[in-house]
Amino acid sequence: MLTVLEANVRKVVIELMRYLPNTISLIATFYIIFLAMFLGISVIGDPASADANLRFAIVGNAFWFLLLVGVSSMGWELTTEATRGTLEQLAMSPVGLRTIVLTRMLGTLAVHLVITVGMLLLTMLTAGQWLRFDLPLLAAVLAPTFVAVIGLGYMVAGLALVFKQISALLQILQFVFLGFAFVPLAMLPWLELAPVVKGVDMVRHALVDGATLAAFGPRDWVSLLLNAAVYLLLGLLAFTVAERRATARGLLGQY
Amino acid sequence: MVDVVGLRKTFPARGRHAPAVTAVDGVGFRVGRGELVGLLGPNGAGKTTTIKALCGLVRPDEGELHVCGIDVRRQRRQALRHLAAVLEGNRNLYWRLSVRENMEYFAGNRGVSRAQARGRIDTLLERFALGDKRNALVSDLSRGMQQKLALAVAALAQTEVLLLDEPTLGLDVETGYEVRSLLRELRDEGRTVIVSTHDMPVVQDLCERTVVIAHGRVLVDDRVDHLLRLFASRAYEVQLGAPLSPGQVQTLRRRLVSVTVFDDGLRVQVDLAQGDDLYVLIDVLRSGGTPIESIDRRVIDFETVFRRLVRGETAGPDGVLDLTPDAALDRTGHHAAVRA
Ligand SMILES: Nc1ncnc2c1ncn2[C@@H]1O[C@H](COP(=O)(O)OP(=O)(O)OP(=O)(O)O)[C@@H](O)[C@H]1O
Ligand SMILES: [Mg+2]
């Protein structure tokens, strides 16, 4: 399992390096989006709340990026690998496709987390706004949040196995994730049921409003963990069903 | 080693323009340890589906599949430990990764670390003549090299069973030859190999046995040399020193079912498999004083055998093959001269 993880993380990193122009343009896009927000906030926003707004934008943007990459990259990869013929090789591993997909998602998330942190530093430098990092708290919130992201990733990956053409879905998801990353729970409380949103909200409280560990009660943690568990299970279920359907119809390869 | 019993698979309809297709309809065969068996059949016969079912990539509707005694349908992942496959020639690879990176990645996915795999990767790359390409991207390799790499990746897994779907597809003569000798080496290592192919030299050179599938059913399952003998030994061609008279031709046509006369009466062919008697021919020739230059027994290649099998000249109930005249034989067959 550790070997499988290592192999897949390596692959993610190698491909990222080999496609450096792609990677750079991806990062640049998000940086530019952020800069636009930055300018917008400082030009038309209320100067009194500008600082908080800026921090809000930084956090939201970072999460949007992570969600997009974390959830949809596996879907993209599976559709291309199905036509390339490598998906069948993955599915023939005694380790099981599910595990390989998991390690691939972990690798992608880890690599993009590093990129996101770098981007955060860059944007904070640009904005002159420094977020407070309470690392233990951040880690405690991010871990279950990423579990939910992986659950979502499994769902999208499962859809990719069965339906192949998922680019339209991924386009729509971009906007859904935009909502997840930017809409505060205070505004739409029922969004707490949606995946990942609770975690993003907690991170936002921590980074934007400077909330500490003490600021969150058991209700927050239960909601966060439950959210992660439910979406991971749903994701695994969806993926398993999709894999069964794909083998019943011979969809793992090009036909 | 590999056991297939009553395999059936119908792919469900996909909308109005893609009705349900029965790809495999009761295929069964058994391959013993260390055998190299050819899986043959026309396009759409069900070869790929059979192989994919063995790999657990296609879930059968019915039938039993065992690899090394392990039930593929019930214990898919255990069974996969014992087999590796190359399914689409050069397509089972990551084109953006280098040769070595591909090998390492696939080894990793089977739980073999880079350190563990290193020595074996080097050996395999040398053996497959890919040593100096180890750091080249797969997209920069020729098709032949890609296909050899795919084979090397499968060999790296060190499984008892190897399933190869058209490993020589699209290769030039030289590379095809190279791949054939690599396959032979794999078999000589003691691996059990099933190879689906349209490439007759692969069958004739490598396979002791072949399973011919058509329309999702096994048509023939027999030794290659046996099939060749069965088809070859029954047709004779007689070269004459002087043309037959019209009367002789008439008599021959009346008394022999399979007779064919060529070259304005200078060449005659008879197929004994259809109950014709060479003596009848000889008698007619003698009666007219026609000199015999040579009698050739047809040595046919496996391609011709295969075409005749598929064209419905199937094995009878007792396993004896019924033959019907086939003009293709006249043009494509080679001759082994048996001087008269
Ligand atoms: N995933 C699939 N969905 C629907 N039909 C399929 C699928 N895979 C194969 N078929 C159909 O099943 C039949 C058998 O296909 P298969 O690929 O097994 O044949 P084959 O013997 O490998 O042929 P070829 O020599 O062309 O490779 C064909 O009619 C094919 O169209
Ligand atoms: Mg095929």
Side-chain angles (χ1 to χ4, degrees):
Chain A
M1 170 69 195
L2 225 56
T3 316
V4 181
L5 181 64
E6 192 213 317
N8 281 281
V9 173
R10 254 182 79 79
K11 176 177 179 294
V12 171
V13 174
I14 291 173
E15 290 197 328
L16 216 63
M17 291 304 187
R18 210 144 282 165
Y19 286 79
L20 212 54
N22 263 351
T23 315
I24 290 174
S25 71
L26 181 72
I27 296 173
T29 309
F30 276 82
Y31 185 63
I32 288 167
I33 291 176
F34 164 77
L35 278 184
M37 286 192 232
F38 173 61
L39 284 176
I41 289 166
S42 42
V43 172
I44 53 172
D46 173 6
S49 56
D51 283 359
N53 283 346
L54 213 52
R55 290 200 291 263
F56 181 90
I58 292 171
V59 173
N61 198 43
F63 266 102
W64 189 33
F65 176 70
L66 272 179
L67 268 173
L68 274 185
V69 176
V71 175
S72 44
S73 64
M74 203 59 233
W76 280 120
E77 281 176 38
L78 289 187
T79 37
T80 47
E81 293 207 20
T83 51
R84 280 243 41 97
T86 44
L87 177 59
E88 287 180 322
Q89 287 294 329
L90 298 184
M92 261 191 281
S93 160
V95 172
L97 185 58
R98 220 175 1 187
T99 307
I100 293 177
V101 166
L102 175 67
T103 57
R104 201 67 87 73
M105 287 195 288
L106 286 174
T108 311
L109 267 178
V111 167
H112 286 89
L113 191 62
V114 172
I115 294 177
T116 308
V117 169
M119 241 166 50
L120 267 178
L121 292 174
L122 196 66
T123 49
M124 289 191 293
L125 202 70
T126 318
Q129 274 294 328
W130 293 91
L131 298 171
R132 272 195 56 241
F133 279 97
D134 180 351
L135 264 184
L137 173 63
L138 211 57
V141 178
L142 281 183
T145 309
F146 284 157
V147 169
V149 170
I150 282 171
L152 282 184
Y154 266 129
M155 288 183 207
V156 171
L159 289 174
L161 283 187
V162 176
F163 295 107
K164 301 286 159 68
Q165 261 99 36
I166 54 159
S167 48
L169 172 77
L170 292 179
Q171 310 255 321
I172 295 167
L173 276 183
Q174 277 188 1
F175 295 102
V176 177
F177 291 158
L178 196 63
F180 286 2
F182 280 97
V183 178
L185 278 185
M187 212 162 105
L188 284 177
W190 53 265
L191 260 187
E192 193 168 346
L193 297 179
V196 180
V197 177
K198 180 67 186 171
V200 179
D201 203 58
M202 286 169 77
V203 172
R204 194 158 37 224
H205 277 305
L207 291 186
V208 178
D209 312 330
T212 54
L213 204 57
F216 301 109
R219 202 205 151 275
D220 293 313
W221 293 108
V222 168
S223 163
L224 181 69
L225 293 176
L226 215 59
N227 191 288
V230 166
Y231 282 101
L232 180 66
L233 282 179
L234 280 181
L236 280 172
L237 188 71
F239 190 77
T240 307
V241 169
E243 206 184 341
R244 276 188 74 82
R245 204 175 159 84
T247 50
R249 304 191 157 228
L251 298 174
L252 292 176
Q254 171 89 304
Y255 164 67
Chain B
M1 271 286 130
V2 178
D3 255 306
V4 179
V5 180
L7 178 67
R8 257 176 244 284
K9 178 68 194 175
T10 300
F11 289 106
R14 292 190 201 169
R16 205 177 318 147
H17 301 291
V21 182
T22 299
V24 178
D25 192 9
V27 163
F29 57 87
R30 170 188 279 258
V31 179
R33 181 187 295 274
E35 262 193 296
L36 196 162
V37 170
L39 199 55
L40 266 70
N43 290 126
K47 305 179 293 294
T48 302
T49 306
T50 304
I51 288 180
K52 286 189 179 176
L54 275 169
C55 300
L57 295 173
V58 163
R59 201 147 42 90
D61 301 328
E62 267 177 59
E64 303 221 355
L65 301 160
H66 284 88
V67 171
C68 296
I70 302 170
D71 189 329
V72 177
R73 297 181 69 180
R74 292 206 182 79
Q75 297 173 280
R76 178 168 174 272
R77 279 165 53 183
Q78 275 89 323
L80 286 173
R81 270 184 234 287
H82 300 274
L83 71 84
V86 179
L87 291 173
E88 300 186 61
N90 58 344
R91 303 201 329 119
N92 285 187
L93 300 165
Y94 291 96
W95 285 30
R96 302 169 168 194
L97 298 185
S98 74
V99 168
R100 168 175 279 284
E101 285 160 354
N102 264 284
M103 303 269 287
E104 288 172 349
Y105 179 63
F106 284 116
N109 274 339
R110 296 187 79 105
V112 179
S113 75
R114 288 200 299 144
Q116 285 171 300
R118 181 161 303 140
R120 200 170 150 70
I121 290 179
D122 287 334
T123 321
L124 274 173
L125 289 181
E126 286 312 319
R127 216 171 101 193
F128 282 61
L130 289 166
D132 50 344
K133 294 282 180 189
R134 69 187 69 219
N135 294 317
L137 291 189
V138 170
S139 53
D140 295 337
L141 300 181
S142 70
R143 172 158 195 155
M145 289 178 184
Q146 290 167 344
Q147 241 149 287
K148 282 195 296 180
L149 176 58
L151 204 59
V153 167
L156 180 64
Q158 287 189 284
T159 53
E160 289 101 311
V161 177
L162 274 176
L163 306 175
L164 310 171
D165 197 8
E166 306 196 29
T168 55
L169 182 70
L171 298 185
D172 63 31
V173 177
E174 195 50 43
T175 321
Y177 181 81
E178 213 183 324
V179 168
R180 288 208 295 280
S181 35
L182 288 170
L183 293 183
R184 193 177 295 116
E185 281 177 33
L186 290 171
R187 181 204 48 202
D188 293 345
E189 279 176 9
R191 313 232 203 177
T192 307
V193 185
I194 298 180
V195 47
S196 106
T197 189
H198 293 290
D199 188 5
M200 292 307 155
V202 167
V203 183
Q204 216 165 340
D205 283 9
L206 290 181
C207 304
E208 298 101 78
R209 190 154 70 88
T210 176
V211 176
V212 180
I213 301 184
H215 306 295
R217 288 163 202 261
V218 173
L219 216 58
V220 181
D221 178 347
D222 205 342
R223 296 181 55 87
V224 173
D225 56 359
H226 185 218
L227 287 173
L228 284 169
R229 239 187 351 260
L230 221 50
F231 278 81
S233 60
R234 290 154 183 241
Y236 287 84
E237 188 175 278
V238 181
Q239 196 74 43
L240 305 173
L244 293 168
S245 69
Q248 279 176 307
V249 173
Q250 228 167 35
T251 317
L252 284 177
R253 293 222 163 108
R254 203 176 56 242
R255 298 186 53 192
L256 297 171
V257 202
S258 70
V259 73
T260 330
V261 179
F262 306 95
D263 299 344
D264 300 319
L266 276 170
R267 196 153 59 88
V268 185
Q269 194 187 300
V270 192
D271 190 345
L272 307 191
Q274 292 174 63
D276 279 344
D277 188 348
L278 202 54
Y279 284 121
V280 173
L281 175 63
I282 305 285
D283 289 345
V284 173
L285 294 179
R286 199 195 338 250
S287 71
T290 315
I292 297 175
E293 294 232 309
S294 68
I295 299 180
D296 292 347
R297 200 179 82 179
R298 317 287 321 219
V299 172
I300 55 173
D301 53 9
F302 198 78
E303 176 160 352
T304 315
V305 173
F306 173 68
R307 287 170 62 190
R308 300 181 74 169
L309 285 171
V310 167
R311 232 177 279 170
E313 302 168 24
T314 57
D318 50 349
V320 178
L321 293 155
D322 311 314
L323 299 184
T324 51
D326 180 2
L329 190 66
D330 306 328
R331 275 169 267 285
T332 58
H334 305 294
H335 305 253
V338 180
R339 288 285 155 200

